[in-house]
């Protein structure tokens, strides 16, 4: 089959006619070879109902045959199929070039006719649909678009064609922004505005570029019969007609760069705005397009949109409900519009009712948020709108999107995505497909998020996936987070023996439920690159909210409860060191609930003790005392002497926080006696520390110092940095109490260095405060105030109540 020639309508009309004449002559020769005789020109003219002279003019290129006559001529010569299409395209290009050369609008199909006597005015299309009247926000995006159009206006004829792509997830307001801005600047494009909805994500077939070209060419004044049949020729004609003109093109809902490329102008002065749910990298790379990516509305803009939709008076009557509705709609403009339509059509008070309905639907698998926000019209129904993007995903990416519905946290990293997908490493291709479709947003390197309504849609898809798929994904995810948390915890506390990453978390724990999961199709997942103390701290900081969410998920899922308390233990040290008192209480509360639901008494005792420690730090001593005594009784009932020892140490800390040191001392001595019987050096060091700190608080610094030095020696032998930092503070206080502030300064400096290296902000603040006191005793008052000011800054950052006492000390020395 012959290739279609690359025909440009800007080619010289005479040259195109010469090419056409040569092609027709070749067709006559082929016909004569096939017939075995010469073609009778007179007979051929009669068949075509034209004069012999006209036929000769057609064949030698002096006149163009009309389209109907030309088609009959090709049929008479036996030219069919692709070859006939190629010659018809060449005829159309020659006709277009002739009319452009004369500056006339000729009559298509009558090539022998003369052009009209006078020039016809150029067509000025005005195709923009109406703008959305309740447009809000997007100030930064509008500024970028304004700057772009101003540059096109100022540099017309000197800068290349400009293309802008507005991308974002379904329902985020891409078309709204494009049309709002297009109406605002349409006067800068006096030669017209073209618009087409390419329907790239509708349930039916998208609009082909050829169909869109046909509409554009008609709008620009090309007669229907003169529109080239071949897409490339039609695209070339569009570029020709746009040359020297100032036209704005809005190409809405594009699926791909290939769908858009034939519709782009080729010369300066015109501007094309493309909207798409997909990331159109091809236009950015090849056409140099400016990319504007839309996220959900900022909170102020989302509330403003709701106000415009339902009215300021109504919003003022239900302000709290309005704020919550903004969040429940994930600040997605389409969802807010649907919610507002429901509120506006209902009686007063309906916003509160809708908020209650949506809140209840958040955790429901059957009638969820997407049902509450559903609409009969497919272009307004959130589920249908999201499905338009989901249906176009490759199967592996579609599966990962479904499984993201099993992840409860606000963000997820690529290693957790690997666990969900059951791959050995991060599923880069699937993640790229999801971000390209704007079904997933990349927050930073290796970190991703999707808004609440997309998560609800993914969760719904996961529930309807293959049997067992969702539960297996949840098990892989929990196993991944537990392994990563234990790895990070080991880097925070390297002197402790390593816990296994799978299987029983402690000797008293039941078998890990992950061990019984069906993992036949699952590759061992890679862990994040946590290779030191700093990396471990950074990982915990990034993942704590997610870890709390997956603990809650495990605690509420039958058979998976052990993950909740194991994750809580792995997070405990970081929570304490970083001063996250409220999160610490929530995490250990979840662990206790999960252990109670699962009937695991050993895990329940540990979680209860850790919750008591956390509650004590929240200045709730009565609750802490009740929890710790409850744990003490349970450990005694179980015959768990080691558990009893740990609870006694917690009681020492609790009583010390309330100033009841005389009640703390018996528990400290009993813990030390238990450690002495077992000979465990770490337990012995902890017991000595407890006794030392209590004696110091009771005003016996010499006895306290003796116990503290023995504890320090054991901690140093074990390379237990956390223990060293803590007991050094005690030693410093004893030295200061014994009238040796210089020795105290040296000890406090050592403790402060360790606290900073460990990232223990709470103890760092107290080391600074004690160091300030020792310097004041030495007469270094300026140094003392500077140290105390730094201590106050740390405590205020932690929002810790101890900041009040330090602030008072600082105020007392201000003069």
């Amino acid at each position: 089959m012959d290739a279609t020639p690359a025909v440009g309508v800007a080619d010289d009309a005479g040259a195109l006619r010469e090419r056409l004449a040569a092609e027709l002559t070749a067709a006559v020769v082929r016909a004569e070879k096939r017939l075995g005789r010469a073609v009778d020109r007179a007979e051929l003219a009669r068949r075509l109902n034209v004069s012999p002279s006209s036929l000769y003019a057609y064949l030698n290129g002096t006149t163009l045959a009309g389209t109907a006559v030309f088609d009959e001529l090709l049929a008479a010569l036996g030219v069919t199929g692709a070859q006939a299409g190629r010659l018809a395209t060449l005829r159309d290009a020659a006709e277009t070039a002739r009319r452009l050369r004369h500056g006339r609008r000729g009559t298509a199909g009558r090539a022998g006719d003369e052009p009209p006597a006078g020039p016809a005015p150029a067509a000025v299309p005005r195709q923009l649909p109406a703008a959305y009247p309740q447009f809000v926000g997007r100030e930064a995006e509008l500024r970028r678009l304004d700057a772009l159009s101003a540059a096109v206006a100022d540099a017309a004829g000197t800068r290349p064609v400009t293309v802008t792509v507005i991308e974002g997830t379904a329902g985020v307001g891409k078309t709204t922004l494009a049309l709002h801005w297009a109406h605002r600047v349409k006067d800068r494009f006096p030669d017209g505005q073209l618009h087409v909805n390419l329907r790239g994500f509708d349930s039916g077939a998208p609009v082909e570029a050829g169909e869109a070209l046909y509409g554009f060419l008609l709008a620009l004044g090309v007669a229907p019969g003169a529109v080239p049949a071949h897409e490339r020729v039609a695209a070339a004609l569009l570029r020709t007609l746009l040359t020297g003109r100032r036209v704005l093109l809005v190409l809405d809902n594009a699926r791909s760069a290939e769908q858009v490329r034939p519709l782009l102008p080729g010369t300066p002065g015109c501007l094309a705005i493309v909207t798409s749910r997909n990331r159109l990298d091809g236009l950015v790379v090849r056409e140099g397009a400016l990319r504007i990516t839309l996220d959900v509305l900022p909170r102020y803009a989302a509330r403003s949109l709701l106000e415009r939709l339902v009215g300021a008076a109504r919003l003022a009557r239900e302000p709290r409900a309005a704020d919550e509705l903004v969040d429940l709609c994930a600040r997605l403009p389409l969802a807010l519009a649907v919610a507002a339509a429901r509120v506006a059509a209902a009686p007063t008070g309906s916003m509160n009712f809708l908020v209650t309905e949506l809140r209840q639907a958040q955790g429901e698998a059957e009638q969820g948020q997407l049902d509450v926000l559903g609409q009969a019209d497919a272009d307004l129904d959130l589920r249908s709108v999201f499905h338009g993007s989901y249906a176009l995903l490759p199967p592996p990416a579609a599966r990962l999107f479904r499984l993201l519905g099993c992840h409860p946290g606000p963000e997820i990293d690529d290693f957790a995505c690997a666990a969900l997908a059951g791959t050995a490493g991060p599923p880069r291709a699937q993640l790229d497909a999801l971000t390209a479709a704007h079904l997933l947003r990349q927050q930073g390197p290796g970190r991703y998020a999707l808004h609440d309504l997309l998560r609800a849609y993914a969760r719904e898809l996961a529930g309807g996936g293959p049997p067992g798929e969702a539960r297996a994904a949840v098990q892989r995810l929990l196993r991944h987070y537990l392994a990563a948390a234990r790895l990070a915890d080991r880097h925070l506390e390297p002197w402790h023996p390593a816990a296994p990453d799978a299987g029983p978390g402690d000797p008293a724990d039941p078998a890990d439920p992950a061990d019984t999961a069906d993992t036949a199709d699952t590759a061992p997942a890679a862990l994040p690159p946590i290779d030191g103390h700093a990396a471990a701290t950074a990982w915990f900081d990034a993942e704590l909210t997610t870890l709390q969410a997956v603990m809650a998920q495990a605690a509420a899922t039958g058979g998976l409860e052990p993950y909740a308390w194991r994750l809580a233990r792995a997070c405990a040290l970081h929570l304490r060191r970083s001063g996250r008192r409220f999160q610490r209480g929530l995490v250990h509360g979840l662990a206790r609930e999960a252990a109670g639901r699962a009937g695991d008494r050993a895990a329940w005792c540990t979680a209860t003790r850790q919750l008591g420690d956390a509650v004590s730090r929240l200045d709730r001593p009565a609750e802490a005392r009740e929890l710790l005594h409850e744990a003490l009784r349970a450990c005694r009932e179980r015959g768990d002497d080691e558990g009893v020892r740990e609870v006694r140490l917690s009681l020492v800390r609790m009583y010390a926080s309330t100033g009841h040191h005389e009640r703390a001392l018996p528990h400290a001595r009993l813990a030390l006696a238990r450690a002495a019987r077992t000979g465990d050096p770490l337990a012995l060091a902890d017991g000595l520390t407890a006794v030392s700190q209590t004696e110091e608080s009771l005003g016996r610094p010499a006895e306290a110092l003796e116990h503290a030095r023995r504890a320090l020696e054991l901690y140093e032998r074990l390379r237990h940095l956390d223990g060293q930092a803590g007991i050094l503070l005690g030693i410093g206080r004893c030295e200061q109490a014994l009238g040796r502030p210089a020795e105290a300064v040296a000890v406090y400096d050592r403790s402060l260095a360790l606290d900073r290296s460990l990232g223990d902000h709470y103890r760092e603040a107290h080391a600074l405060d004690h160091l300030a006191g020792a310097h004041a005793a030495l007469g270094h008052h300026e140094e003392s105030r500077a140290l105390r000011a730094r201590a106050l800054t740390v405590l205020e950052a932690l929002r810790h109540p101890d900041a009040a006492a330090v602030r008072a000390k600082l105020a007392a020395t201000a003069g």
Side-chain angles (χ1 to χ4, degrees), residues 624-645:
R625 183 169 56 252
E626 183 179 346
L627 286 166
L628 292 174
H629 280 291
E630 198 174 352
L632 187 63
R633 287 192 297 272
C635 288
R636 283 172 173 165
E637 290 169 4
R638 296 184 66 251
D640 181 4
D641 291 340
E642 184 60 19
V644 168
R645 182 190 69 82

Side-chain angles (χ1 to χ4, degrees), residues 20-54:
L20 182 60
E23 292 280 359
L24 289 175
T25 299
V28 170
V29 171
R30 287 193 295 271
E32 289 178 337
K33 286 182 178 180
R34 188 175 62 256
L35 295 171
R37 59 178 175 81
V39 172
D40 188 332
R41 267 61 167 180
E43 175 62 26
L44 182 57
R46 282 193 296 274
R47 288 179 58 185
L48 299 178
N49 197 27
V50 298
S51 66
S53 61
S54 293

Side-chain angles (χ1 to χ4, degrees), residues 53-85:
S53 61
S54 293
L55 176 62
Y56 280 107
Y58 299 156
L59 293 176
N60 64 24
T62 56
T63 304
L64 287 175
T67 54
V69 173
F70 191 77
D71 290 344
E72 290 183 23
L73 173 60
L74 295 181
L77 295 175
V79 180
T80 59
Q83 189 179 24

